Amino acid sequence: ELKVEQNPLFLSMQEGKNYTIYCNYSTTSDRLYWYRQDPGKSLESLFVLLSNGAVKQEGRLMASLDTKARLSTLHITAAVHDLSATYFCAVDPFINTGTASKLTFGTGTRLQVTL
Amino acid sequence: GAGVSQSPSNKVTEKGKDVELRCDPISGHTALYWYRQSLGQGLEFLIYFQGNSAPDKSGLPSDRFSAERTGGSVSTLTIQRTQQEDSAVYLCASSAKLASAQYFGPGTRLTVT
């Protein structure tokens, strides 16, 4: 059974600081997704990582994937209050071509950026 | 363009009643997924539909849960004889192709009293 662990579960950081959220998973996969969820809202897709060594950046967020270590990171640079949300990683236990993505989500990291 | 839509946005029902939740995916998306989000269990996969293939029902928690997708578009998730543990937010998502981002709808918040 695929297990996906995120840490930390809760992160309070000051504006302007840098931090990294970690996502570890238990079985081989080279498909990993990051989502953002604001309170009371649905999930917003941030990044799709599809190969070992993939790195994607959007604004102050950068995501990377190391399939050998079964680890993805979401790095936050110079945090701003607008980044406050819950961040989820999700892994697709890719079996073979022709199958759709059946995501297993991590527990989520609640990020609070304080002024 | 229009995103994934779901209805109703909120549903309160009495224990033992049946409920139907609807999902309208993004036009042209061939894959459709149902997940649910609850405090105790986090985000859980329920079922997906991919084109004309048989659906993958491996995440459905019991035989009280069923789903169908008509005409390769709209999907309905049905929960029969609802129980209090069914209370959760039910999220629908769709994607255009394999290994692409899944776009989520706003969800249906189900409360079973």
Side-chain angles (χ1 to χ4, degrees):
Chain A
E1 182 192 345
L2 172 60
K3 292 192 186 319
V4 182
E5 293 183 351
Q6 280 183 244
N7 68 83
L9 297 183
F10 178 73
L11 175 57
S12 179
M13 57 190 298
Q14 288 183 319
E15 276 203 334
K17 299 291 188 183
N18 303 332
Y19 210 83
T20 300
I21 298 170
Y22 297 88
C23 174
N24 291 272
Y25 55 96
S26 61
T27 63
T28 302
S29 173
D30 58 2
R31 295 187 189 175
L32 191 137
Y33 306 77
W34 283 96
Y35 288 89
R36 167 182 172 145
Q37 186 175 40
D38 291 290
K41 304 289 186 184
S42 191
L43 295 159
E44 174 191 351
S45 175
L46 295 175
F47 300 108
V48 178
L49 303 169
L50 298 177
S51 61
N52 186 37
V55 177
K56 297 236 177 130
Q57 182 161 7
E58 180 72 35
R60 300 173 188 275
L61 300 177
M62 183 173 72
S64 66
L65 178 62
D66 181 343
T67 59
K68 290 182 171 52
R70 299 177 186 172
L71 170 68
S72 179
T73 60
L74 180 66
H75 187 73
I76 304 151
T77 302
V80 292
H81 182 68
D82 285 352
L83 290 179
S84 297
T86 298
Y87 293 84
F88 291 92
C89 64
V91 177
D92 173 16
F94 178 57
I95 305 300
N96 52 47
T97 56
T99 60
S101 303
K102 188 167 69 176
L103 301 182
T104 297
F105 283 83
T107 48
T109 296
R110 188 157 79 91
L111 173 66
Q112 183 177 63
V113 181
T114 57
L115 300 171
Chain B
V4 178
S5 61
Q6 292 185 245
S7 62
S9 55
N10 275 286
K11 177 73 177 177
V12 180
T13 189
E14 290 180 354
K15 178 180 169 182
K17 301 283 189 186
D18 298 352
V19 295
E20 282 190 353
L21 312 179
R22 177 190 166 106
C23 171
D24 217 323
I26 293 172
S27 178
H29 279 193
T30 59
L32 185 148
Y33 314 81
W34 285 96
Y35 296 86
R36 73 176 175 182
Q37 185 173 28
S38 59
L39 280 176
Q41 301 299 321
L43 272 154
E44 303 173 277
F45 164 81
L46 296 176
I47 185 172
Y48 81 69
F49 299 86
Q50 170 66 33
N52 295 321
S53 303
D56 181 335
K57 306 178 184 180
S58 59
L60 295 179
S62 79
D63 58 8
R64 295 184 296 104
F65 287 72
S66 63
E68 62 177 19
R69 188 178 185 190
T70 53
S73 181
V74 171
S75 177
T76 303
L77 177 69
T78 301
I79 309 173
Q80 295 178 309
R81 305 180 303 281
T82 52
Q83 303 293 312
Q84 286 187 328
E85 61 262 29
D86 300 335
S87 296
V89 176
Y90 288 81
L91 294 164
C92 175
S94 70
S95 66
K97 58 182 181 177
L98 299 178
S100 63
Q102 295 182 21
Y103 295 91
F104 283 78
T108 294
R109 181 174 295 278
L110 175 66
T111 304
V112 182
T113 60

